[in-house]
Structure formats: C-alpha cells, structure tokens
Amino acid sequence: MKREMVRALTLTLLLIGAIPAIADGQATERPRVVVTTDGEVDDRSSFVRFLMYTSDFDVEAIIPTNSIWQKSGHGTEWIFRMIRLYEEVYPNLILHDPRYPPPNSLRRSVFPGNEDRMKMHQVGEANDSPGSDRIVDVLLREDERPVWLLAWGGTNTIAQALWRLKTSHPDTVSAPALQKARVYAIAFQDETTPWIQHNLPEVTLILNYQYMAVDYEHKGHPLSNGEIFDPEWMTENVKNGHGPLGAAYPQEYFSEGDSPSFFHLIDNGLRSTEDPSFGGWGGRFERKFDNHPSYWTDAKDDGDRLKPLWRWLPAISRDFAARMDWSVMPFEGANHPPQVVVRGASNRSVRAGQTVHLDARASSDPDGDAIEFRWSQYVEAGTYPEEVVIKDVAQPRASFVAPPVDAPQTIHIVLFVRDAGVPSLTRYSRIVFTILPDD
C-alpha cells in the first residue's frame, strides 16, 4: 500500500513537471531542443539514448544533415525507424514519466536538412531547406526560452537558418531571436561552424572536443577501460531484454561522441544550462576569446581537458540503464532518481568568516529507497582557487566557513544525492556562493 501511495505521489509530481532535481523548491523549465545529425553509426546510438530522455526536453526538430565524415548524410528513414521502435515502448515509458512525447509528435518534428555534398560548406541564397526553415520558425516563435541547436554532424543547416533569420528579417525581429540560439557543436564537422563564430558573435556557440572521452576510441582518461565501456555492460543493460529500441542500439559498446550535447541539457540539478562554465554531464567550458564572449570551448579540471566530462560518466551510464528498464518494467520494478531539495537560495552572497549552513533534509526518493549525501566543492567552476573545508560532508546538514578574500569570489558547492536502488541513481543541487570581503 505504501508503495502505491509513493507511486501515485510521484506521478502527480511528474504531471506538474516537478520530478527533476529541485533547488529552492522550484523545478526548472524544459529546454527547447533541435537535433541535427549526419546519421553516422554513433549518431544512431546517441539517438537511442536521446529518445529515452525526450521526457526531459521539448523536441522542436530532428534534422538530418551531412558532415565531412558523412558527405551525403543518411536521410530520414533511419530516424523514422527508430521512432517506430520508440512507439512500441512508449506505453511503458509513460508509466514512469507522462511527459514522454507521443510518437506522432516526434514524427512531425522531422525535417530534412542540407545533405547536398556540394553545398556542405555553403551559407546563403539557394541553400535553404525544410530543416533550416524549421529552425527559423522555432527561433521566431513567441517563446522566451533558449533554443538549443545540437550539431551531431555539420552545422550547415543551423548556419543557414541563422543567416536567413538575420538577412530576411528586420533587426527588431532577428536580434531577439538570435539571442535565443544556443549552438552546441561536437567539433568542427564542416566549415560553417567557424562561419557562425566569425559572423554571428551574438549567437552562443559551444564547441566541444571533450566528446573524445566517449567517442569510438574513448581513450585518455581513467575510466577508458572500465565497466561502462565493456560490451558486456551494453548487452546486459541496453541491448538484451530491454525492448525493441534497446535491441536496435547499433554498437557493441558505449561509443556516442555526440551525446554530450544533450547530456548538457538533462535537468539533474547541476544547472549547466545557466552558464557553460558551471560544468555538468555535458562537460565544462570557458570563453575562448575576450572579444567574443559568446564563444565557448573546452575547459580543464585538474589540468585535464577530458575530466569535465569523464568525471560524470558512471552516473550517466547508470541513469541510462535505469531509463532502459523503464522501457519494459512496471513502475514498481524500476528505479527512479531521487528528489533533491536544498533549503535556501541557489545563489547566495556571504561575508568572509561567516559560517554557511547547508540543509538538504527535505530530499527524498520516489521509490522509498535509502539515499546518501555528499557535499563537494567544484573548485574549477568557481573563481576562488582553494578548497574549503566542509563539515559533515556526508550528512544532509553541513557547513563551511567562508574564506577570507580581498575581492568578491565565487565558490560552487554541489550536493550529490545517490539512492540505493538498482541501478543507483544520482541527482544534484548546486549552490553558487559569492564571498564578499569582511569589511
């Protein structure tokens, strides 16, 4: 009976959009997402995973494009085939989260982009496509939320849309629309990415090379030879016994160079969409040039360019395994992420020498599982360069003393909440403290 009450409460929270990690007791809004993909095999693996997270996004468009690696692209049929498989597990997925989009809404979001190898690097007249037209329409819509334009292949269709928007509309219309654009590109996969960089400085551009932590080779970090990259892990947790969509996962092991683009958007409490320098499941970034404040590329944690991504991979993989369970298991048979609630504002100013109290006692788990706490400072995300000592680091209530500073400095404190379910799942809450000098 208790389990049924927990399930009913959880579904109620889901219906009002409150199941993601919470800070200040408020859920964040779902991001608007446009996926462009060249259809390479790792894109297809990423698309399986992406479909399992569509409950967390407002999917505005799915657009096949090309790239220097897939010069003629792969069309739309493989996308529709994956959506048909998603349709088979959709009735079970909505038992776990009713926000999963109906299959027909995903089908209606598919628009062909530029797959002409002769126009791969071109922007301008005669380069429009249904995909670029759709991006223009999405950006012009009266919706103030940012639009995340995810480039799994080349950015030509995105660039064409941004060009069309700027050249065919007055500044009073195009300027606010362009301000909403967030281009998250996985490497330079055609010459239109630097075109965006040089011609549209008002457009936020995140260029990710940290993806190499999860690409075909996935080398160069401590988890490279770990369990999550073993074919046995993928077989057990995705490909076997997890429905037709899992069975369609095309690769033997975790090799998804494009997935960090939407890892960045998953509302897990890390607040990574607020500022690329915060860091989260999709990596951490810094401004490349002082004169181009909207252009971001890889930052380093502990001097390691890949660590901002690989440090989260175990939690990311367990989360995917749980989503795959949702494809086939009833609510009571699967695990769901804990709910994180931290008392107080998510951005706070404190004086040097002040004792800062942290309180997450209101956190809970929708399945009734035990949860464990860990408070941690994300040193690289803040401007204060030293570690502070957190007292009671493994308790729901903790504290630290704000260090002495000569000028305002920021400290990022991240709460990790992990449940005891199978697989165990982690959610977070980030508090950004501005430490003021003690006058």
Side-chain angles (χ1 to χ4, degrees):
M1 184 66 174
K2 179 181 177 182
R3 190 80 169 191
E4 287 300 315
M5 292 176 64
V6 170
R7 178 178 184 272
L9 175 60
T10 302
L11 289 178
T12 301
L13 291 172
L14 284 165
L15 285 167
I16 62 173
I19 197 65
I22 289 178
D24 310 336
Q26 298 295 321
T28 58
E29 59 191 11
R30 291 195 297 175
R32 304 169 71 195
V33 176
V34 171
V35 170
T36 67
T37 169
D38 64 6
E40 192 172 357
V41 65
D42 74 316
D43 292 50
R44 301 183 187 210
S45 296
S46 290
F47 196 64
V48 171
R49 190 187 300 245
F50 176 78
L51 287 170
M52 299 304 297
Y53 283 90
T54 50
S55 56
D56 295 45
F57 312 136
D58 280 344
V59 182
E60 299 278 13
I62 301 167
I63 301 171
T65 58
N66 56 7
S67 71
I68 56 175
W69 311 112
Q70 306 293 315
K71 293 182 173 59
S72 298
H74 289 277
T76 61
E77 178 49 38
W78 72 271
I79 296 172
F80 287 119
R81 181 174 67 86
M82 290 291 194
I83 294 174
R84 287 195 296 271
L85 298 175
Y86 166 86
E87 185 170 29
E88 294 186 43
V89 298
Y90 171 74
N92 213 77
L93 290 174
I94 58 175
L95 299 178
H96 300 267
D97 191 335
R99 298 175 303 167
Y100 274 104
N104 280 337
S105 74
L106 292 176
R107 291 188 181 99
R108 289 192 296 269
S109 72
V110 179
F111 295 85
N114 179 17
E115 294 186 289
D116 185 340
R117 63 193 303 144
M118 302 305 295
K119 296 182 177 182
M120 183 190 311
H121 307 295
Q122 296 181 12
V123 174
E125 292 293 348
N127 292 295
D128 294 322
S129 66
S132 64
D133 291 343
R134 172 64 174 179
I135 294 173
V136 171
D137 291 343
V138 169
L139 287 169
L140 288 175
R141 192 178 308 148
E142 293 186 7
D143 187 327
E144 295 307 311
R145 290 176 295 165
V147 178
W148 289 88
L149 305 168
L150 311 183
W152 299 3
T155 52
N156 53 49
T157 302
I158 294 171
Q160 177 64 24
L162 300 178
W163 177 87
R164 176 59 67 191
L165 183 59
K166 188 161 188 173
T167 58
S168 297
H169 296 272
D171 288 345
T172 54
V173 173
S174 64
L178 290 169
Q179 287 291 330
K180 290 189 288 187
R182 307 285 189 272
V183 180
Y184 189 122
I186 301 295
F188 285 129
Q189 297 196 54
D190 66 31
E191 294 177 10
T192 64
T193 308
W195 183 90
I196 296 171
Q197 173 194 339
H198 294 301
N199 291 280
L200 295 168
E202 66 269 43
V203 171
T204 298
L205 171 62
I206 300 173
L207 183 64
N208 182 324
Y209 279 94
Q210 294 169 11
Y211 78 90
M212 291 186 287
V214 292
D215 69 356
Y216 294 100
E217 298 295 330
H218 57 262
K219 293 181 179 179
H221 60 85
L223 303 180
S224 294
N225 297 316
E227 177 189 31
I228 60 175
F229 289 103
D230 194 308
E232 291 185 7
W233 188 96
M234 191 61 67
T235 298
E236 178 182 350
N237 291 282
V238 178
K239 295 171 73 71
N240 281 1
H242 288 85
L245 185 58
Y249 189 93
Q251 294 171 287
E252 292 183 358
Y253 58 88
F254 178 13
S255 172
E256 303 173 23
D258 301 298
S259 292
S261 67
F262 66 87
F263 290 166
H264 182 73
L265 308 180
I266 296 169
D267 184 18
N268 53 28
L270 287 171
R271 300 169 55 192
S272 54
T273 59
E274 293 183 27
D275 190 314
S277 70
F278 280 15
W281 281 8
R284 194 173 68 83
F285 307 92
E286 61 186 4
R287 287 187 174 91
K288 182 66 173 177
F289 303 113
D290 291 340
N291 62 351
H292 195 326
S294 298
Y295 177 38
W296 301 79
T297 191
D298 298 349
K300 295 180 179 179
D301 288 353
D302 293 334
D304 181 347
R305 182 165 61 92
L306 299 183
K307 187 173 182 179
L309 181 56
W310 68 251
R311 69 189 304 161
W312 310 103
L313 290 180
I316 290 170
S317 295
R318 293 193 301 268
D319 211 74
F320 183 35
R323 295 279 176 136
M324 294 309 304
D325 288 345
W326 294 4
S327 294
V328 293
M329 292 183 179
F331 188 94
E332 296 80 3
N335 197 23
H336 306 86
Q339 182 108 357
V340 184
V341 180
V342 175
R343 295 178 186 270
S346 55
N347 296 305
R348 311 180 195 177
S349 294
V350 298
R351 290 285 176 185
Q354 179 180 339
T355 298
V356 180
H357 296 281
L358 308 165
D359 187 349
R361 287 174 295 174
S363 301
S364 61
D365 185 78
D367 306 301
D369 296 322
I371 53 177
E372 60 181 37
F373 298 82
R374 179 167 64 88
W375 299 90
S376 178
Q377 179 187 356
Y378 196 159
V379 177
E380 293 86 356
T383 60
Y384 184 74
E386 306 295 331
E387 289 191 34
V388 299
V389 176
I390 301 175
K391 184 180 179 181
D392 298 321
V393 68
Q395 301 299 318
R397 298 183 70 187
S399 64
F400 70 94
V401 176
V405 295
D406 296 326
Q409 301 278 358
T410 58
I411 290 176
H412 289 232
I413 301 296
V414 177
L415 171 63
F416 295 64
V417 177
R418 181 171 174 176
D419 71 14
V422 179
S424 64
L425 302 177
T426 307
R427 287 297 182 267
Y428 315 86
S429 183
R430 181 194 301 256
I431 311 169
V432 180
F433 292 94
T434 299
I435 312 299
L436 304 175
D438 181 9
D439 296 333

